[in-house]
Amino acid sequence: MIRNIVRVALCFFLLIWVSGASAQTLALVGGNVYASPDVAPLPDAVIVASNGVITAIGSRSDVQIPSDARTIDCTGKTVVAGFWNSHVHFTQAVWKNAGTAPAAPLQEHMQEMLTRWGFTSVWDLGSDPSDTLPLRRRVNAGEVPGPDIRSAGNIFPKGGHPAYLPAEIQLPEAATPDEAAQMTRRYLGAGLDGMKLFTGAYMGEGKPVVNMDVAVAKAAVDLAHAQGKPVFAHPQNKVGLETVIAAEVDVLAHIIPGLPGYSPEQLARFKSQRTALIPTLSLFAKTIGGPALSARLVESGVNQIKAFSENGGPILFGTDVGFTTIYDTSIEYELMHRALSERQVLASLTTNPATYFKAANKGRVEKGFDADLAILDGDPIADVSNLAKVAYTIRAGKVIYQRP
């Protein structure tokens, strides 16, 4: 009897301890902290986070570390806001039946693909909602450590089944504005966060691109905008780009492969419409053609990024990972750095997407902001490659990746 009482008491104590540990305050101590990409780092700093929010930040001498805090020694490291990857996909086999699949393989692949690279927020630009929405619920419940997932529904032009997607997949194709409007209502009604339009669909080598009619694209854009939702586009060619502009799409999900540059009229429209660009340069550098073709595509992409940025357009980091298996982000950083400064690359991961997608409490390391953080081995402003050297990824004050 006494033994049973002791066992029950011990279990009760352990439950309380585990509960307290899960809500434990987090303190990051001794790192250099960039509150945002455009300011000097705060040296030997302390960040305190509680209930998912940054509650204090300052020099070690000014901030008191709570006695019950879990402390992470960041000496010699750099702390920045958690990263956004604004172009990912959850289409690989591991994500099938994500609502009921064992958590372990999901966590393992989430780490390989996203969390070990510092991502605390992502935009899924085309996956099966019956997999992605349950995955998001499990991530938010803490069952699978992962980033904040925002998802977009896809619409393709009629007869525009891209050559790189398996022929047996049934794609949502819209031939009329009414069909596009119905699809948009259905996606957003199901809980998705935006739309992606294939204003140009690649049909294979030597075959003409199938482009979406402007009226079809505009029908989807108008409905999404009426609900405050962003619209992305896969433009593919010059005609697809013109459709993006005419339909007032928000975000170009890729550069245009091989496009020598933008016209003054296009740049003016981008600026007036606040269009954003996701380059995905590593996609063109590593997965299309041989070295000579890849070099030409990267060169045109770098020129597009440079012109777009100098025109005042927001650059958003994205890799198309999930469609590609190029998980290592160092390639994308090196290519983007050919057009952008180190601070601009960091902004594409932090302040730019947080501002553009109206995530008011994300993107900066400041008191009152979400405790979404990346702890890096080195200073990314001194060397852009340090952005890929992630020691810890923290979302809402919880460690979702720790390098072994």
Side-chain angles (χ1 to χ4, degrees):
M1 178 69 174
I2 294 175
R3 183 178 299 174
N4 289 339
I5 293 173
V6 171
R7 186 181 293 116
V8 170
L10 180 59
C11 289
F12 181 71
F13 170 79
L14 288 173
L15 284 171
I16 291 180
W17 184 85
V18 170
S19 176
S22 66
Q24 191 175 44
T25 299
L26 184 68
L28 310 182
V29 180
N32 294 327
V33 177
Y34 281 97
S36 64
D38 56 350
V39 300
L42 177 65
D44 195 23
V46 172
I47 302 169
V48 178
S50 183
N51 296 320
V53 175
I54 297 171
T55 55
I57 178 171
S59 63
R60 193 194 294 257
S61 60
D62 294 335
V63 177
Q64 183 174 0
I65 301 171
S67 60
D68 65 340
R70 174 190 173 183
T71 299
I72 296 177
D73 183 6
C74 298
T75 303
K77 301 188 185 301
T78 300
V79 184
V80 296
F83 297 158
W84 291 63
N85 191 325
S86 297
H87 191 153
V88 310
H89 297 276
F90 294 100
T91 51
Q92 294 161 306
V94 68
W95 307 118
K96 292 297 180 186
N97 303 310
T100 56
L106 301 180
Q107 177 178 341
E108 181 180 356
H109 198 70
M110 189 75 79
Q111 176 175 303
E112 182 182 14
M113 176 173 152
L114 295 170
T115 57
R116 70 162 293 184
W117 306 107
F119 295 117
T120 57
S121 297
V122 300
W123 266 101
D124 159 41
L125 296 190
S127 305
D128 186 342
S130 66
D131 293 323
T132 309
L133 292 177
L135 174 63
R136 178 165 69 185
R137 285 194 291 270
R138 295 184 72 181
V139 168
N140 290 343
E143 295 178 37
V144 179
D148 176 30
I149 299 171
R150 303 177 183 214
S151 293
N154 283 192
I155 301 179
F156 294 78
K158 188 66 176 178
H161 191 123
Y164 48 77
L165 294 181
E168 64 272 15
I169 296 178
Q170 295 295 312
L171 299 178
E173 299 180 2
T176 67
D178 283 346
E179 290 178 353
Q182 290 172 14
M183 291 177 186
T184 302
R185 288 192 192 95
R186 186 163 60 249
Y187 279 127
L188 299 182
L192 272 65
D193 308 284
M195 295 297 299
K196 180 185 176 186
L197 310 177
F198 280 72
T199 58
Y202 175 72
M203 305 305 290
E205 185 68 31
K207 297 181 180 179
V209 170
V210 173
N211 290 109
M212 181 176 285
D213 185 78
V214 172
V216 173
K218 193 70 167 64
V221 169
D222 287 348
L223 266 171
H225 285 178
Q227 296 188 37
K229 306 296 186 182
V231 181
F232 302 75
H234 178 112
Q236 190 63 43
N237 63 357
K238 186 177 179 180
V239 174
L241 178 62
E242 291 295 339
T243 299
V244 164
I245 294 172
E248 300 184 52
V249 169
D250 301 289
V251 185
L252 291 162
H254 301 280
I255 56 100
I256 312 295
L259 186 75
Y262 304 114
S263 70
E265 294 76 18
Q266 289 170 336
L267 289 170
R269 289 292 295 274
F270 291 152
K271 192 166 188 174
S272 67
Q273 294 175 192
R274 293 195 65 252
T275 310
L277 171 65
I278 305 170
T280 67
L281 289 179
S282 53
L283 168 72
F284 300 101
K286 297 296 181 181
T287 66
I288 297 175
L293 175 59
S294 295
R296 290 197 301 272
L297 296 181
V298 167
E299 181 181 9
S300 71
V302 167
N303 291 336
Q304 290 173 54
I305 297 170
K306 189 173 178 61
F308 202 94
S309 178
E310 290 177 350
N311 190 54
I315 304 295
L316 310 176
F317 184 88
T319 55
D320 210 355
V321 68
F323 173 72
T324 79
T325 55
I326 306 171
Y327 303 135
D328 185 344
T329 52
S330 60
I331 302 166
E332 191 74 23
Y333 296 139
E334 186 275 323
L335 296 173
M336 291 178 71
H337 190 225
R338 298 183 189 181
L340 305 173
S341 70
E342 291 88 352
R343 292 184 185 274
Q344 288 174 316
V345 176
L346 179 57
S348 77
L349 290 153
T350 56
T351 49
N352 286 2
T355 299
Y356 197 83
F357 297 120
K358 301 177 182 177
N361 294 323
K362 296 184 184 295
R364 298 176 185 272
V365 188
E366 296 180 10
K367 184 178 179 179
F369 275 59
D370 291 350
D372 291 358
L373 304 161
I375 302 176
L376 311 176
D377 285 336
D379 187 338
I381 305 306
D383 184 346
V384 75
S385 69
N386 284 326
L387 288 167
K389 299 172 183 177
V390 178
Y392 293 84
T393 303
I394 298 165
R395 179 190 169 199
K398 295 181 180 180
V399 175
I400 60 173
Y401 168 75
Q402 177 178 348
R403 189 174 54 217

